[in-house]
Amino acid sequence: MANDKKYDLIIAGGGASGLYAARKAAAAGLRVLVLEKKERTGKKILITGNGRCNVSSLSVSAGSYPAPMREFTAPALDALPVQALMQEFASIGVPLKARGEYLYPRSDQASSVADALMLSALEAGAEICTESAVTQVRRNSRGFLVFTENDSTPLAAETVLLACGSKAAPKTGSDGSGYALAKSLGLPVRTVLPALTSLICAEPLSKVWAGVRTSCSVTVTCGNMKAEDTGEIQLTSSGISGIPVFQVSRLAVQSLAAGRKFQVSLNFLPDYDDVWLSKEAHRLVSGFGNRNIVQLLEGFFPKKLVQVFARKLDISEKAPVSELGAEAVSRIFRLAEAFPVRVTGYSDFLQAQVCQGGVAREAVDPETMMAKKITGLFLAGELLDVDGPCGGFNLHWAWASGSLAAESAVRFVRGNKS
């Protein structure tokens, strides 16, 4: 790919933030080249939202992200509020629709998002080279030299945007190589760990509950820190999964990695209070005393879960509840409200949706997305130490940070030419 042409902007990474930035910068008149290591751009976009691509959330704001990140994310998010994002996607042929708070393409196809971003970047004048992994970025007196794995001749650029992604879902090209590029340029990188991932548990009866999907509140407590979420979880033979687990996994993963003590509790009755449950236990036993405990409670819980509760408490699964008494039912209710699980691990980067950690926020100007000590070097997306909850927040950060980086690169290049 030898090329004597000097670009205004070379973007390392053709994912969400890279493609969004390419379209915007090229439309503003910059000579833009996107270098993507995989055989096509936007591969991680294709798997988001179970293949439907949860583009953003109607409630996205800096307050949606963990407290330490809010000040840093605010400028980019303020510059691309959700209504503006919806208009921009509509302008490239991808109208968005809301499903509750979540925004998806009207087609419900993630491929329509990936394809439209690629096509709109090309139509704006950007060049895209696939199977071109960036191996090195060097500064020189005129900007940067960018080296790729399949060409010994470097490419020249006035500015560079690192949009290489994190380590989550490495098969899509997000394999952590961007961290090495950042480090080689002198940027600090915080320890990278999975986020939005499932948890591995040492539960002796996990093989009994395997396959259960049920409503549940999940709470992680570590010292004075607490994370909690409610929704449908999946119980597996190795642990717990589902969106509520993903939402609280950040604190559990941090605690495990740091060797801190923490607790995880499941509440399978999040919609009921203790007084009502106590009365209900007596009503059920008095009205259906001939049933066994599994038959009695299968309206409250999946059968497998009742079996787990009964075995935990050494309550007979076959005896009529008239013999067990209302207290046996109340004991199950109490356990269901505060079921402790011992988390021993977490799913790795292959299963994680995003990562926590990355290029330190302190090294980047949040008003421009430019590295504070490296003039002309911009960063965007998951490469940075920014991660949000499930629900489109991480993709919105990719769009917003890529957009701000592109706008800043345009101002930088124009300023140098004036």
Side-chain angles (χ1 to χ4, degrees):
M1 195 178 62
N3 193 334
D4 296 328
K5 179 179 180 180
K6 181 178 180 181
Y7 293 93
D8 295 316
L9 172 64
I10 288 181
I11 300 174
S17 57
L19 288 175
Y20 203 94
R23 178 186 66 85
K24 181 155 278 191
L30 265 57
R31 293 165 294 179
V32 178
L33 172 65
V34 178
L35 298 172
E36 167 55 43
K37 68 169 57 181
K38 302 300 284 186
E39 72 280 2
R40 67 154 294 166
T41 58
K43 289 203 74 173
K44 192 169 183 182
I45 294 173
L46 298 176
I47 65 172
T48 59
N50 291 321
R52 294 183 299 174
C53 192
N54 183 187
V55 173
S56 182
S57 168
L58 292 173
S59 61
V60 70
S61 71
S64 308
Y65 299 79
M69 303 172 189
R70 292 171 187 170
E71 185 176 355
F72 179 81
T73 58
L77 296 172
D78 289 346
L80 188 66
V82 66
Q83 293 301 325
L85 181 77
M86 294 177 72
Q87 291 172 5
E88 291 210 25
F89 268 99
S91 74
I92 63 171
V94 185
L96 302 181
K97 65 179 181 181
R99 185 177 289 111
E101 289 287 308
Y102 305 147
L103 288 172
Y104 293 87
R106 181 66 183 79
S107 65
D108 266 335
Q109 296 292 313
S111 58
S112 63
V113 175
D115 290 345
L117 285 169
M118 178 192 66
L119 290 171
S120 62
L122 291 171
E123 289 162 354
E127 297 177 37
I128 297 176
C129 288
T130 56
E131 298 181 289
S132 298
V134 174
T135 56
Q136 189 177 12
V137 177
R138 291 184 192 168
R139 296 183 68 186
N140 64 15
S141 59
R142 292 173 294 176
F144 298 88
L145 294 177
V146 179
F147 297 78
T148 61
E149 65 180 358
N150 53 7
D151 201 323
S152 58
T153 304
L155 299 160
E158 187 167 345
T159 65
V160 167
L161 168 60
L162 298 183
C164 316
S166 63
K167 293 179 74 172
K171 291 182 180 179
T172 66
S174 183
D175 61 3
S177 56
Y179 302 129
L181 288 175
K183 287 180 179 178
S184 71
L185 290 161
L187 295 172
V189 177
R190 289 202 181 98
T191 301
V192 179
L193 297 168
L196 301 185
T197 193
S198 55
L199 299 176
I200 298 170
C201 304
E203 170 50 55
L205 294 171
S206 60
K207 286 184 171 55
V208 178
W209 74 18
V212 167
R213 290 174 177 259
T214 188
S215 177
C216 185
S217 178
V218 187
T219 303
V220 179
T221 306
C222 180
N224 60 359
M225 296 181 289
K226 183 178 180 180
E228 185 175 14
D229 198 66
T230 300
E232 184 182 79
I233 72 166
Q234 288 96 55
L235 304 174
T236 71
S237 60
S238 61
I240 54 177
S241 188
I243 289 178
V245 176
F246 296 163
Q247 302 288 44
V248 302
S249 64
R250 190 175 198 278
L251 179 56
V253 171
Q254 281 182 350
S255 302
L256 279 167
R260 295 192 297 262
K261 291 183 178 181
F262 67 103
Q263 294 79 43
V264 178
S265 178
L266 307 178
N267 181 358
F268 294 100
L269 292 168
D271 301 324
Y272 299 95
D273 62 56
D274 292 340
V275 173
W276 187 89
L277 288 170
S278 178
K279 292 179 180 177
E280 183 68 359
H282 285 84
R283 186 190 73 81
L284 290 171
V285 171
S286 63
F288 306 98
N290 60 319
R291 298 182 184 181
N292 63 41
I293 199 71
V294 177
Q295 294 168 335
L296 187 74
L297 296 179
E298 64 179 317
F300 280 86
F301 314 101
K303 288 183 179 180
K304 288 183 178 181
L305 206 49
V306 183
Q307 291 173 333
V308 169
F309 297 152
R311 294 176 193 182
K312 277 277 190 183
L313 297 171
D314 197 24
I315 293 173
S316 172
E317 298 171 44
K318 296 181 179 180
V321 293
S322 58
E323 294 180 8
L324 299 175
E327 178 55 23
V329 180
S330 292
R331 287 173 64 205
I332 284 184
F333 283 159
R334 289 195 294 270
L335 177 61
E337 287 183 295
F339 190 97
V341 289
R342 185 165 69 90
V343 172
T344 58
Y346 46 84
S347 295
D348 61 15
F349 296 111
L350 286 171
Q351 283 77 43
Q353 293 189 14
V354 296
C355 291
Q356 51 185 308
V359 176
R361 298 183 298 276
E362 293 77 13
V364 179
D365 181 356
E367 299 289 341
T368 63
M369 292 289 109
M370 186 163 70
K372 290 179 179 178
K373 295 184 178 180
I374 308 176
T375 303
L377 179 69
F378 300 87
L379 299 97
E382 288 185 36
L383 185 65
L384 290 156
D385 182 16
V386 173
D387 61 283
C390 290
F393 298 96
N394 291 289
L395 266 181
H396 194 106
W397 168 247
W399 317 130
S401 58
S403 178
L404 182 55
E407 291 171 356
S408 301
V410 169
R411 289 194 298 270
F412 182 89
V413 171
R414 287 177 177 172
N416 285 350
K417 290 179 178 179
S418 61

